Amino acid sequence: MDFREIEKSKNNMIGYRISRREEDCNLQNCLVLKRFSEVNSAMKKAFALSLMIFFLLCLPLSSLAGAGSQIERLSAYRGETIVSQTPNGEVSVVYDGKDHGVSFKCISTDIYDKTYDCTSDATIDSCSVTDESGGNVDYTILQSSSYIGIVLTKPEVGTYSINVSASWSWYGKKTASAVITLTVQKAHLYDYFKLTSYSGTYDGNSHNAVTATVSSIVKDYTVEYKYGTDEYSTIQPQVKNVADSGNVYHCRVTTTDTNFSESSYERTASANITKKKATLTLSAQSKCLGEADPEFIYSVDGLISGEQLSGITVNRDIGETEGSYSTWFEQQTGANPNYELTFINKNFTIRQHDWGNPSYNWSADNKTVTATRICNYDSTHKDEEIANTTSTTILPTCEDEGKTKYTAVFSNSVYKEQEKYVNNGVNAIGH
């Protein structure tokens, strides 16, 4: 091949490359223009839709009334629901003999998932409550601006289905329905059974050791009591004395009420009786020398009427000479168990007699004279001495009859010699 042909081939190849490059550039320009056209078209559609939504949202509500389903759909409406105010639309309570129910709200939601509480405008269209057997159950509807309540009248243990339908206005009339479940669980009998025991100070009376209190919501029950190994009885055990404290009393409640988990439950309790306080006060007493000790006298304050203390003695220090002696009470072990006694002692005194003036008493035949003196401290204390008399005859005179003179002389010098003249029946001799 000569040189000219070679150059021609080179020129052809260069021209081809230039032509190919121009075609590539043209293709890329077409793709860019196409993409720009697509983006531009999407932006135009989005802008148009935005203008439409903005325009519709800015319309007054009156302009939407009766606008039909298309206007309703474009007014951002999505759906309506009845929302229970408990998780999963289920309410669970424990039986307590009271009214129970459920509450819910009426909610509408827009396309932005924003919720609107329409409860205040809601109307209950229908409602029914049935139990597990399908039977109808009485209920009451309570409605406020923030919730609607379906209240069952003292529901017993079981599961209740509450079917409710409501309607409200939100861009037109909206209707929703729901089924809410109320479950009443069994209660525990021990929560409604209390046992109280007697507690007080000894008063001489009998009291119920323990008393059962069963709530009125428990139906068909029996209360029984027992002590120790005794059999259960409906008779309440009694306590009276301090010794009854600490005894354990049993109380059992039995019921056929199926609203409770237990058919019977037992409690125990003990009564508490404390000792009654009483005070013994010794009277101030004394005796005179040579006398026997008197019976010690004391007063009691705080003793139950009709009762007496036992096993109480009063002692004093040993001694029989004139002076003051200490005294003390002593109580026999185990005596008076219902009383807490306080003792107030008084000293015992031994002293001389304080004798009154002597008196003299002649016998009917004048042969003796009794001299007596009485202690001013104690009238039962007497000192006596009987003296025999001697007689002397006194002859009559011209003027006086004859007499007999009796004379009594005592060994105790405190008693004075006594004389007595008695006519002897001999007449005066005259002149």
Side-chain angles (χ1 to χ4, degrees):
M1 180 178 297
D2 61 20
F3 177 77
R4 287 177 296 182
E5 290 178 350
I6 292 173
E7 287 295 320
K8 184 179 180 180
S9 296
K10 288 183 179 180
N11 292 333
N12 289 338
M13 181 62 67
I14 293 171
Y16 173 79
R17 289 177 179 174
I18 292 172
S19 177
R20 186 66 178 176
R21 186 177 299 166
E22 290 175 351
E23 289 178 0
D24 289 342
C25 291
N26 291 333
L27 179 59
Q28 289 178 2
N29 291 335
C30 289
L31 290 174
V32 170
L33 289 175
K34 183 178 180 181
R35 289 175 182 173
F36 176 80
S37 176
E38 290 175 351
V39 171
N40 188 36
S41 177
M43 291 178 64
K44 288 180 179 180
K45 290 181 179 179
F47 179 74
L49 180 59
S50 298
L51 287 177
M52 182 179 293
I53 292 175
F54 175 80
F55 173 77
L56 291 173
L57 290 177
C58 292
L59 286 176
L61 293 178
S62 58
S63 66
L64 293 175
S69 59
Q70 182 179 4
I71 298 300
E72 181 177 310
R73 183 170 58 253
L74 293 177
S75 64
Y77 165 75
R78 170 171 287 184
E80 62 280 333
T81 55
I82 288 178
V83 179
S84 172
Q85 299 197 141
T86 56
N88 303 320
E90 296 180 358
V91 178
S92 180
V93 297
V94 176
Y95 174 76
D96 60 4
K98 299 179 181 179
D99 294 347
H100 287 284
V102 300
S103 62
F104 59 88
K105 292 184 176 183
C106 296
I107 300 296
S108 289
T109 308
D110 63 18
I111 61 174
Y112 304 107
D113 290 329
K114 183 177 181 180
T115 59
Y116 299 87
D117 187 347
C118 302
T119 306
S120 59
D121 296 327
T123 300
I124 302 298
D125 296 327
S126 65
C127 181
S128 64
V129 181
T130 56
D131 57 21
E132 293 170 303
S133 65
N136 292 325
V137 179
D138 292 337
Y139 63 90
T140 302
I141 298 177
L142 301 178
Q143 187 167 3
S144 72
S145 60
S146 57
Y147 71 90
I148 298 174
I150 308 297
V151 181
L152 281 62
T153 304
K154 298 180 180 178
E156 297 193 343
V157 169
T159 301
Y160 301 87
S161 295
I162 301 170
N163 296 267
V164 62
S165 176
S167 61
W168 60 92
S169 295
W170 191 75
Y171 295 107
K173 183 177 181 180
K174 304 296 178 280
T175 301
S177 61
V179 177
I180 305 173
T181 301
L182 171 65
T183 301
V184 181
Q185 301 176 353
K186 288 189 176 185
H188 290 292
L189 183 59
Y190 53 73
D191 287 333
Y192 296 92
F193 160 37
K194 295 182 179 180
L195 186 64
T196 56
S197 57
Y198 175 76
S199 180
T201 301
Y202 172 75
D203 60 4
N205 298 318
S206 295
H207 301 273
N208 293 329
V210 291
T211 301
T213 303
V214 182
S215 172
S216 60
I217 74 168
V218 183
K219 301 182 289 292
D220 302 323
Y221 66 87
T222 302
V223 179
E224 297 174 297
Y225 305 89
K226 79 167 187 173
Y227 167 65
T229 58
D230 296 342
E231 295 294 328
Y232 269 109
S233 169
T234 56
I235 300 175
Q236 286 183 266
Q238 301 292 298
V239 291
K240 177 180 179 180
N241 301 309
V242 172
D244 296 327
S245 297
N247 294 339
V248 178
Y249 298 92
H250 297 253
C251 180
R252 179 178 67 187
V253 172
T254 305
T255 181
T256 58
D257 193 338
T258 57
N259 289 307
F260 295 90
S261 300
E262 305 85 11
S263 59
S264 68
Y265 195 79
E266 180 183 288
R267 293 188 185 277
T268 60
S270 299
N272 181 44
I273 301 178
T274 57
K275 292 185 176 184
K276 190 178 189 310
K277 294 183 178 181
T279 302
L280 282 66
T281 303
L282 185 66
S283 299
Q285 291 176 267
S286 62
K287 75 170 186 175
C288 295
L289 284 169
E291 299 292 334
D293 283 1
E295 180 181 357
F296 287 102
I297 300 173
Y298 56 85
S299 61
V300 181
D301 181 34
L303 193 65
I304 299 296
S305 177
E307 294 191 355
Q308 294 182 342
L309 299 177
S310 62
I312 301 294
T313 57
V314 179
N315 302 295
R316 71 171 180 88
D317 289 339
I318 298 174
E320 292 297 330
T321 59
E322 185 177 0
S324 181
Y325 297 83
S326 297
T327 61
W328 67 91
F329 284 90
E330 191 170 4
Q331 179 176 216
Q332 182 180 350
T333 301
N336 312 303
N338 292 319
Y339 290 92
E340 178 185 333
L341 301 180
T342 299
F343 302 103
I344 299 177
N345 302 304
K346 299 288 180 64
N347 284 348
F348 180 73
T349 303
I350 299 177
R351 57 193 172 191
Q352 298 283 347
H353 287 287
D354 180 20
W355 297 113
N357 294 325
S359 62
Y360 301 93
N361 184 31
W362 291 78
S363 64
D365 58 3
N366 295 316
K367 291 183 177 182
T368 60
V369 178
T370 302
T372 304
R373 57 179 179 170
I374 298 175
C375 180
N376 290 325
Y377 295 129
D378 189 342
S379 61
T380 62
H381 295 172
K382 294 181 180 181
D383 181 65
E384 291 183 340
E385 183 179 345
I386 299 174
N388 294 322
T389 62
T390 59
S391 61
T392 303
T393 300
I394 300 175
L395 297 174
T397 64
C398 296
E399 296 179 353
D400 298 322
E401 294 179 343
K403 299 179 184 292
T404 300
K405 178 184 178 183
Y406 296 95
T407 303
V409 179
F410 298 92
S411 60
N412 190 339
S413 61
V414 299
Y415 299 118
K416 304 299 182 182
E417 182 179 304
Q418 299 294 306
E419 294 180 347
K420 184 178 183 182
Y421 294 89
V422 179
N423 291 333
N424 59 13
V426 179
N427 295 326
I429 59 177
H431 291 285

